[in-house]
Amino acid sequence: MRSTDILIVDDEVGIRDLLSEILQDEGYGVAVAEDAEAARALRRQTRPAMVLLDIWMPDCDGITLLKEWAKDGLLNMPVVMMSGHASIDTAVEATKIGALDFLEKPIALQKLLGTVERALKYSKMQESSNLTLEKLGNGEAVRELTARLAAAAKSEGPILLTGEAGSPFTLVAEYFRQHNHPWIAPNAEQWLNPAQDWMKAAHNGVLYLGNLAEYDKTVQAAILNTLTRKDRYNVRVVAACSRPLNDLIVHADFDERLGRELSGIVIAVPSLRAHLDDLVHLINQILVQLVESKQVRLVRFTNAALNSLHQYSWPGNFEQLHQVVKNLALSSDNGTVDVGQVTYVLEQYRNRYSNDLGGFDFDMPLRELREEVEKRYFEYHIRLENNNMSQVAQRVGLERTHLYRKLKQLGIHFSKRQEKE
C-alpha cells in the first residue's frame, strides 16, 4: 500500500470490488483489506490517504479497530465508517472516537465521491501538520498552554515563546498558522540574504523568527530591520527564546532593542517534565511519525521500559525524547523495547546534558541529590571565604557547632586549623 492510496476495509468481496472499481475510475489509488487483521497489517506499513471502514466484520468490528488505532496513535488519517444497518448511536460513537464521517449502504455514487474528496483534503492538512499542538497531550500543562495561545491569538502584537532548550517551539508557534495563508520561517543564513523581503513574503500570514538565543548580532540586526515593516504587510510575528529573556538582554551579544520589540506577549512553553502524564501518548505519536516516514519499523515498548522513561528527568525536553524514541526503535532486535535498552540509551545522554543541569545528575534518588547539592553549596562558601569557618558559618546562617556537624555528615574534610578559627 502506498501513502496516497485509499484503503477499503470490508469483508464483502462484492462491495470491496465495486468501491475499488469506482474510485480507480476516478483516478484514485486503492488498497483493499478483507478483514481487520489485514487492515492492521497494511496500516503498520504506512499511513493511507484515507480509510473506508466497514463496521460489521467477522473477526473484529470496525468500531473496535478504530479504537485500537486511536489508542496506538495510528488514527492520524481520516476514516469514513460504512454500514448497512448501523444505528445513529453507533455513528455517533464512531465520530467521538475519531471517525471523520459515516456512509450508509447502499452508498450513492455522488455521496461516495463527495465524501472521499472532502476526506482527502482533510488528509493533506493532517499530513502537512505532522505532530500538531493537539497531539502534545491533554494534561493540565498543555491545556493551560492552549488557553494562553487562544487568548494571544485575539491580539495583533508580536508573540515570544519562552522555555528550556529542546522545547517544541516551532510546533507551538504553528498554532497561529492558518490554512492557505503564508508561513515563513527563515533560518539564520537566510536572514542574511539582503535581496529577500521576508515580511513581504509573509503578507497576511505568519513570520516565525525562530530561536533568538541562537542568533548573533548580524542576524539580529537583519530581523530588526525587517520588523520595521510588519504593520505594512499585516503579519503575525512569532519568535522563541530558549534562554531567560532577562539574562539574554544583558548579554553583550544580544541587541536589547530586539527583546523590547518582541516581548509584548510572552508565553511560557512547559518543559516535558511538567506534563509527564502525556509521555506515553507522545512516544506513540513520535513513533508513528517515524514509522510513516520509513525511518524506523514499528516496535512495542514494555511497561517497564515506559516506566523507566517516565522516571527520567528529560533535560533535553522534546528534542531529546524524539532522539531517544528513534534510537530505541532502531536498536530493537525483536520488535520490543525493554528497560535494559532504555537504561543503556539514556546513559549516553548523561554527560551531554550535565552542564545544562549544573553538573547534577537529576536521575539520582532525591535524598542523594539533596546531599550532593548541599555538599557543593558548603564547598563553594568555604572556598569563597578562604577557609575562614567563622565567616562561612555567618554566611550560611548556621552556628559553628551545627556547621561542623553538617560538614562531617556530608564528608567534607577541613583541617584542625580551620576548626580552631
Side-chain angles (χ1 to χ4, degrees):
M1 181 177 67
R2 299 162 300 182
S3 61
T4 54
D5 284 342
I6 299 171
L7 175 59
I8 301 171
V9 187
D10 199 307
D11 63 302
E12 297 185 49
V13 63
I15 293 178
R16 288 201 311 272
D17 290 346
L18 177 61
L19 292 175
S20 179
E21 183 179 343
I22 291 173
L23 294 174
Q24 287 184 26
D25 286 345
E26 293 295 319
Y28 298 118
V30 176
V32 296
E34 67 275 12
D35 54 28
E37 186 56 37
R40 289 189 189 99
L42 289 170
R43 180 63 188 88
R44 283 194 291 266
Q45 293 176 13
T46 191
R47 170 191 182 273
M50 67 164 292
V51 180
L52 290 168
L53 177 59
D54 187 30
I55 289 182
W56 303 110
M57 295 183 293
D59 65 329
C60 171
D61 64 85
I63 295 294
T64 299
L65 181 59
L66 192 70
K67 288 179 179 178
E68 286 181 16
W69 282 343
K71 179 182 178 182
D72 295 338
L74 296 171
L75 192 57
N76 59 346
M77 70 285 179
V79 176
V80 176
M81 308 301 293
M82 306 182 296
S83 178
H85 42 82
S87 65
I88 293 177
D89 289 342
T90 304
V92 170
E93 181 185 5
T95 303
K96 287 182 177 179
I97 296 169
L100 179 68
D101 209 339
F102 178 85
L103 291 174
E104 187 175 0
K105 297 177 181 178
I107 305 170
L109 177 62
Q110 292 306 313
K111 177 69 172 176
L112 171 67
L113 296 179
T115 301
V116 166
E117 182 179 3
R118 184 168 71 89
L120 291 175
K121 287 182 180 178
Y122 183 73
S123 179
K124 288 182 178 179
M125 291 175 59
Q126 279 188 310
E127 189 175 17
S128 63
S129 63
N130 290 321
L131 187 61
T132 61
L133 181 60
E134 290 77 12
K135 294 179 182 178
L136 281 180
N138 193 38
E140 183 178 354
V142 176
R143 292 198 301 271
E144 291 178 356
L145 171 63
T146 304
R148 291 194 295 269
L149 293 170
K154 299 175 182 178
S155 68
E156 297 181 353
I159 293 171
L160 180 63
L161 305 174
T162 62
E164 298 179 3
S167 297
F169 291 127
T170 302
L171 177 64
V172 176
E174 286 190 342
Y175 177 91
F176 302 99
R177 187 174 188 170
Q178 294 180 309
H179 186 55
N180 291 331
H181 286 258
W183 166 268
I184 305 299
N187 58 34
E189 183 178 350
Q190 290 171 324
W191 273 115
L192 300 179
N193 181 0
Q196 180 64 55
D197 188 342
W198 296 114
M199 195 62 69
K200 184 177 181 180
H203 181 49
N204 288 329
V206 175
L207 177 61
Y208 177 54
L209 306 182
N211 189 350
L212 303 180
E214 298 176 352
Y215 297 151
D216 60 25
K217 279 199 169 182
T218 306
V219 176
Q220 294 169 33
I223 293 175
L224 275 168
N225 181 57
T226 299
L227 291 179
T228 60
R229 300 187 298 281
K230 68 178 185 299
D231 294 334
R232 190 188 315 170
Y233 291 104
N234 185 34
V235 171
R236 160 75 75 181
V237 176
V238 183
C241 187
S242 61
R243 291 178 59 183
L245 190 59
N246 290 339
D247 292 351
L248 192 62
I249 287 177
V250 298
H251 198 278
D253 292 332
F254 187 76
D255 193 324
E256 62 181 81
R257 293 175 300 168
L258 186 58
R260 290 196 301 268
E261 183 74 26
L262 297 173
S263 58
I265 302 175
V266 179
I267 298 176
V269 177
S271 68
L272 183 54
R273 295 184 301 280
H275 61 113
L276 286 176
D277 289 346
D278 295 316
L279 185 67
V280 174
H281 174 82
L282 283 165
I283 290 172
N284 284 335
Q285 295 296 330
I286 293 170
L287 184 59
V288 167
Q289 188 180 358
L290 291 169
V291 170
E292 291 177 351
S293 60
K294 301 190 183 305
Q295 298 182 56
V296 304
R297 60 175 179 165
L298 189 63
V299 296
R300 182 183 69 86
F301 286 73
T302 66
N303 288 335
L306 291 173
N307 287 335
S308 181
L309 291 168
H310 192 275
Q311 293 168 9
Y312 184 61
S313 59
W314 298 108
N317 285 290
F318 291 83
E319 288 184 8
Q320 185 189 9
L321 177 62
H322 194 282
Q323 294 168 5
V324 167
V325 171
K326 183 176 181 179
N327 195 323
L328 289 170
L330 288 172
S331 61
S332 174
D333 293 329
N334 57 2
T336 299
V337 175
D338 59 29
V339 66
Q341 290 172 269
V342 171
T343 301
Y344 175 79
V345 170
L346 292 181
E347 184 65 28
Q348 313 310 307
Y349 291 89
R350 190 177 301 277
N351 293 332
R352 183 182 307 181
Y353 291 106
S354 61
N355 291 333
D356 295 336
L357 299 173
F360 294 117
D361 177 8
F362 281 7
D363 291 324
M364 296 169 64
L366 179 59
R367 180 183 59 80
E368 295 179 18
L369 178 60
R370 185 188 299 118
E371 290 181 357
E372 180 67 21
V373 172
E374 289 181 342
K375 184 176 182 179
R376 293 261 300 269
Y377 172 79
F378 286 112
E379 288 175 342
Y380 166 78
H381 284 291
I382 290 172
R383 288 196 304 271
L384 190 67
E385 298 299 336
N386 196 25
N387 295 327
N388 186 323
M389 302 307 288
S390 296
Q391 292 183 14
V392 171
Q394 184 177 2
R395 178 174 286 275
V396 301
L398 294 176
E399 294 182 359
R400 288 183 64 179
T401 303
H402 188 185
L403 173 62
Y404 292 148
R405 188 183 305 119
K406 189 67 175 177
L407 297 180
K408 184 176 180 180
Q409 176 188 341
L410 294 172
I412 300 176
H413 301 288
F414 47 93
S415 68
K416 291 183 179 180
R417 182 185 61 82
Q418 293 170 336
E419 287 186 280
K420 293 177 181 178
E421 286 181 359

